Amino acid sequence: MKNKQVTFMLVGLSFLLMLGFSAQALAGETYPIALSLAITGPTSDVGSPYSKGVEDYCKYVNDEKLLGDDKLECFIRDDGYKTEVTKRNFEDFLDEKIVFYLNYSTGSTMAMRKDFDEEKIPTLPASFHAGNLVDSTYVFLPISSYSSQAVGLAEYVAANHKGSGKPKVALFLHPSAFGRAPRDDVKKAIAAGLNIDLVEIVEHGKDLDNTAMLQRFKSKGVQYVISQTVQPPVATMLKGAQSLGMIAKTYGEAGKITFLGCHYAGGPDLIGLAGSAAENYYWTTSYKLMTAPGPGTDAQLALAKRYGRDEKVAQSQNYTNGIMVVQVAVEAMRRAKTKGKKVTRASLYEEMLAMNGYNAFYPLTTVGPVTFSKTDREGVDTLQLYVAKDGVFHELGLPFASEYVKKIK
Amino acid sequence: MSYFFQLVTSGIVVGSIYALSALGFVLIYKSSRVLNIAHGQIIASGAFITYALTVWMGIHIAVSFILSMIITFFLAMSVERVFLRRLIGEPIISVIMVTIGLMSIIDGIIYMTPFGSENFSFPEFLPKVPISFWGISISWTQMVGVVITFIMIGAFTWFFKASTVGISMRAVSDDQFASMSIGISVPKVFGLAWATAGLSAAAAGGIIGNITGLNFDVLHSFGIIVFPVVIVGGLDSIFGAVVAGIIMGLIQQFASGYLDGKWGLNGTADVLPYIILLIILLIKPHGLFGIHEIERV
């Protein structure tokens, strides 16, 4: 009798174990990805909506079963814009066996390029500095680099300048590797024949007033200022220019200055800071703005609504930015799975490099396809120009790609 | 020539706002010999309170500005009561360390609100067309800022020179034990010093926020930016803060106007104040108007 009971219990236990294993197998695999960024501290106005974009899209992937029975596990940690904290976070993430990493700042990406290579982990940062790609094989830029953006804007200035002679241009840069990123490439483009006169390159400080700089620009005949920095210094400059009556009401207006800026130097938040002084500000990015109706923007608004985000977050290009990097990671996973590969760092890296030609990825959150290859790790090559009118950024013309960037590469 | 006078005007405008921002440091140091490291955070808090009252509660910005000063007055007084009152008589370095902790606490609180990670701007209530004369332009925001600054500096100067409470505060700054022996309540004086510093910080925050827009990083950085002003003027001199503020404003404008863009120079407006600070401290270690105390042994 006792033997019968023991046998029965053993059979029952084996059945339970089998059930447990098969349930686990049915539940699919979990793919951990991670993001370290500034939710507090400097640039948290960018980092906060960015992290929400990543978080929401990760939830969406799991809720909508975009990876079938497999799940995405997303680790997000604040680093306060401190590289040493980013590095510590990254090391912690490695313990979680992450297969894809999302980094944030230019400084930490530059500092940790070697770590990404050592770990052979595909990495998408929020920094679009072309220097991130130098001496590195695992860093991918989601969109056109700052250099491509600044050179693209300079090309637009050259092509659309009203008046005789070369357009006089000044660069207004953040005093860091992030700000200086496009400086040399703009000079190279000029050397390669770009028809502008680069009158001055300014690295700004924490200024309360830019009168001296703006008056100097005026005395040198500067008609266009291209900014590669964050929004607050641009807002202070625009407010100063407004009070001095220097902002061009129409593009290239004679005797006035037309202000233009790269991705982080503009967007809806700039209007929030500068108010009416941001009117007629020209801004470029590779992301689709929420003011441009279309399937991508509709989906983003729906996503923000679904996960309880307010209007400001829903409209932010940095929310789009966060969504887009997870879209790319998930697409690489999906493609690896379709080919019957196991989702690993190596297979995701292969899929990232194969994302070109007919295999280009169209995430709908950008103005062009995401393409990567062994020789090109800049994602979206096209840019869209936007102009601020009546407190909203509107699309201006069709997406374009910088010609001179190809020439100087 | 109008270029030169434009730089002078802008220098005075910027300098007077620096002076108002520096005032909070001076008011606390003058009465308690404590350097409040969290001053930038209080400036930011004042600006955000003004915004919240104006935009979220629909109060007119002028009224919000005054209400924000009153609220920050009591908030700063409460901070002193809760965190610093127990440290009276303790080494100054302990109190300064507490203000560093306070800075982190205020940072944390602000990061829990939308102000920590979003950008805002005050509703535009002043004319957009600048005031122009003799080829010089000054925006209405800057003009109003300068007027408020000078009113407040004048009021504080009178307060410390002529009012009983102000004289008590100066007495406490000179010698806490001697002040207590003649019946001055040192704790009350400390509380009042923090409260008035909070009031001036809220005014500075409101003015800076109107000029730059409301971004937490930008606003709290003014606590550090005005540091050379406080040191050059003398930590315990209101008049020194005004003079040093204007000197710094002028230096920045002239550096930016005449040095930047020439001979490969750039960003001199950020560096020059610190070079001047070093030179002045070499010649006058207590700042231009700081009191040089001589201890007889």
Side-chain angles (χ1 to χ4, degrees):
Chain A
M1 186 65 190
K2 258 189 181 174
N3 277 347
K4 260 190 176 177
Q5 274 181 336
V6 170
T7 315
F8 184 73
M9 275 170 70
L10 279 171
V11 169
L13 268 171
S14 327
F15 180 74
L16 281 173
L17 274 172
M18 289 273 285
L19 199 72
F21 281 127
S22 49
Q24 207 174 13
L26 278 176
E29 288 190 52
T30 300
Y31 310 127
I33 66 167
L35 162 68
S36 176
L37 83 169
I39 300 173
T40 61
T43 75
S44 56
D45 53 337
V46 171
S48 178
Y50 187 95
S51 72
K52 286 168 183 157
V54 169
E55 189 186 333
D56 290 356
Y57 198 73
C58 282
K59 280 186 198 163
Y60 178 76
V61 167
N62 291 334
D63 292 350
E64 292 299 314
K65 294 190 177 297
L66 297 191
L67 289 170
D69 290 326
D70 298 344
K71 292 263 179 199
L72 199 60
E73 190 177 11
C74 193
F75 299 96
I76 300 175
R77 270 205 205 167
D78 180 21
D79 58 31
Y81 206 64
K82 292 174 187 143
T83 298
E84 70 278 13
V85 183
T86 314
K87 197 168 166 61
R88 202 165 57 229
N89 285 347
F90 179 65
E91 280 161 7
D92 289 348
F93 294 146
L94 291 178
D95 294 340
E96 301 292 340
K97 311 273 181 242
I98 54 167
V99 291
F100 202 101
Y101 179 57
L102 307 172
N103 202 50
Y104 182 71
S105 68
T106 299
S108 63
T109 310
M110 300 278 277
M112 291 164 64
R113 283 175 300 184
K114 291 271 187 294
D115 299 84
F116 305 143
D117 271 27
E118 271 175 24
E119 294 296 332
K120 298 188 187 317
I121 187 162
T123 300
L124 274 173
S127 155
F128 315 136
H129 182 14
N132 292 336
L133 306 177
V134 179
D135 297 331
S136 139
T137 44
Y138 282 82
V139 177
F140 297 82
L141 304 188
I143 63 165
S144 300
S145 67
Y146 301 132
S147 292
S148 303
Q149 294 171 27
V151 173
L153 285 174
E155 277 177 49
Y156 183 84
V157 166
N160 295 280
H161 173 55
K162 286 168 187 157
S164 56
K166 284 184 184 178
K168 291 190 172 182
V169 178
L171 292 180
F172 183 69
L173 308 178
H174 192 272
S176 66
F178 150 72
R180 291 175 199 127
R183 184 185 55 191
D184 292 340
D185 284 332
V186 171
K187 284 182 183 171
K188 278 184 200 166
I190 294 168
L194 179 60
N195 194 33
I196 63 163
D197 184 5
L198 185 60
V199 174
E200 198 175 326
I201 300 170
V202 175
E203 286 187 16
H204 63 76
K206 296 207 165 183
D207 304 315
L208 194 56
D209 183 90
N210 293 113
T211 302
M213 179 191 77
L214 290 164
Q215 293 281 18
R216 199 171 67 237
F217 285 171
K218 195 179 170 187
S219 68
K220 290 179 176 179
V222 170
Q223 292 154 281
Y224 305 92
V225 175
I226 298 175
S227 299
Q228 161 54 13
T229 179
V230 287
Q231 294 148 345
V234 178
T236 307
M237 174 173 68
L238 292 177
K239 284 185 165 198
Q242 187 186 41
S243 76
L244 294 166
M246 283 186 182
I247 299 178
K249 287 196 173 68
T250 55
Y251 178 85
E253 185 186 353
K256 306 279 178 179
I257 298 176
T258 302
F259 292 90
L260 309 98
C262 302
H263 177 87
Y264 287 115
D269 264 9
L270 179 72
I271 295 171
L273 267 175
S276 64
E279 201 68 4
N280 297 312
Y281 183 78
Y282 290 77
W283 172 62
T284 193
T285 181
S286 297
Y287 288 107
K288 266 197 177 294
L289 263 197
M290 294 300 100
T291 46
T297 51
D298 292 347
Q300 177 171 327
L301 291 173
L303 186 82
K305 197 176 172 190
R306 178 173 179 166
Y307 295 108
R309 304 301 183 190
D310 61 31
E311 189 70 7
K312 204 167 180 179
V313 170
Q315 299 284 344
S316 166
Q317 80 273 18
N318 295 311
Y319 184 67
T320 320
N321 203 342
I323 292 170
M324 184 264 190
V325 287
V326 185
Q327 280 182 308
V328 173
V330 169
E331 180 62 15
M333 288 173 190
R334 208 186 53 75
R335 289 180 182 192
K337 272 167 55 106
T338 310
K339 289 175 186 168
K341 292 181 193 170
K342 197 168 163 50
V343 174
T344 60
R345 292 175 191 176
S347 65
L348 293 183
Y349 182 63
E350 272 174 33
E351 290 308 321
M352 291 286 282
L353 292 180
M355 217 175 255
N356 53 57
Y358 289 116
N359 294 318
F361 173 48
Y362 294 81
L364 297 179
T365 39
T366 56
V367 295
V370 180
T371 57
F372 295 118
S373 69
K374 270 193 174 167
T375 52
D376 173 24
R377 281 175 288 127
E378 265 186 53
V380 183
D381 297 324
T382 45
L383 291 162
Q384 175 67 53
L385 194 67
Y386 295 92
V387 61
K389 293 277 178 201
D390 302 320
V392 177
F393 274 104
H394 297 279
E395 282 181 352
L396 189 68
L398 294 169
F400 65 100
S402 165
E403 286 300 316
Y404 276 87
V405 164
K406 288 173 203 156
K407 285 185 189 173
I408 61 173
K409 257 184 181 172
Chain B
M1 202 61 185
S2 70
Y3 181 59
F4 172 80
F5 285 113
Q6 177 68 63
L7 295 185
V8 170
T9 310
S10 298
I12 292 170
V13 168
V14 172
S16 58
I17 296 166
Y18 283 165
L20 181 61
S21 307
L23 206 59
F25 273 121
V26 175
L27 290 171
I28 291 176
Y29 187 84
K30 202 172 169 65
S31 57
S32 62
R33 302 277 159 197
V34 169
L35 208 56
N36 175 21
I37 306 294
H39 186 60
Q41 277 65 17
I42 301 175
I43 289 177
S45 306
F48 295 145
I49 292 170
T50 310
Y51 179 86
L53 292 171
T54 310
V55 177
W56 296 348
M57 298 184 72
I59 300 169
H60 188 273
I61 192 163
V63 182
S64 300
F65 184 74
I66 294 163
L67 279 176
S68 146
M69 287 199 288
I70 295 168
I71 292 168
T72 317
F73 178 93
F74 286 109
L75 275 179
M77 190 182 257
S78 315
V79 163
E80 191 279 334
R81 182 71 188 83
V82 174
F83 295 102
L84 298 149
R85 183 69 58 90
R86 290 162 196 274
L87 292 167
I88 290 176
E90 297 297 326
I92 293 296
I93 189 70
S94 308
V95 189
I96 293 174
M97 291 309 292
V98 169
T99 68
I100 293 174
L102 196 59
M103 180 180 77
S104 295
I105 293 169
I106 300 174
D107 272 353
I109 293 169
I110 291 176
Y111 281 124
M112 281 158 57
T113 70
F115 295 116
S117 54
E118 288 179 30
N119 297 322
F120 300 89
S121 67
F122 285 115
E124 289 167 2
F125 66 105
L126 291 166
K128 286 177 203 161
V129 180
I131 305 160
S132 299
F133 51 95
W134 307 322
I136 298 165
S137 287
I138 175 170
S139 73
W140 278 94
T141 312
Q142 290 177 325
M143 188 52 136
V144 169
V146 170
V147 170
I148 292 171
T149 299
F150 280 100
I151 289 172
M152 291 201 64
I153 286 168
F156 278 119
T157 307
W158 173 86
F159 175 73
F160 276 105
K161 285 218 164 142
S163 76
T164 314
V165 183
I167 292 166
S168 305
M169 289 171 86
R170 280 165 54 203
V172 170
S173 145
D174 278 347
D175 192 324
Q176 290 180 21
F177 289 106
S179 305
M180 276 194 276
S181 70
I182 56 165
I184 296 172
S185 168
V186 174
K188 273 187 187 168
V189 165
F190 282 3
L192 196 62
W194 275 79
T196 48
L199 186 139
S200 72
I207 293 165
I208 296 168
N210 255 303
I211 294 171
T212 63
L214 296 167
N215 175 281
F216 181 47
D217 270 340
V218 173
L219 289 168
H220 79 66
S221 69
F222 273 85
I224 301 296
I225 290 171
V226 297
F227 214 72
V229 172
V230 181
I231 304 289
V232 167
L235 273 161
D236 49 6
S237 169
I238 293 174
F239 182 66
V242 177
V243 174
I246 290 172
I247 289 174
M248 287 299 170
L250 289 171
I251 288 170
Q252 285 194 337
Q253 290 297 319
F254 286 140
S256 180
Y258 291 116
L259 296 178
D260 281 356
K262 286 173 188 152
W263 313 297
L265 290 172
N266 211 330
T268 54
D270 289 322
V271 181
L272 221 56
Y274 288 95
I275 295 173
I276 303 288
L277 167 81
L278 285 172
I279 294 168
I280 289 179
L281 289 184
L282 279 173
I283 302 161
K284 288 188 71 100
H286 291 86
L288 291 174
F289 300 93
I291 294 169
H292 184 195
E293 287 174 358
I294 299 165
E295 283 189 30
R296 296 184 195 282
V297 183

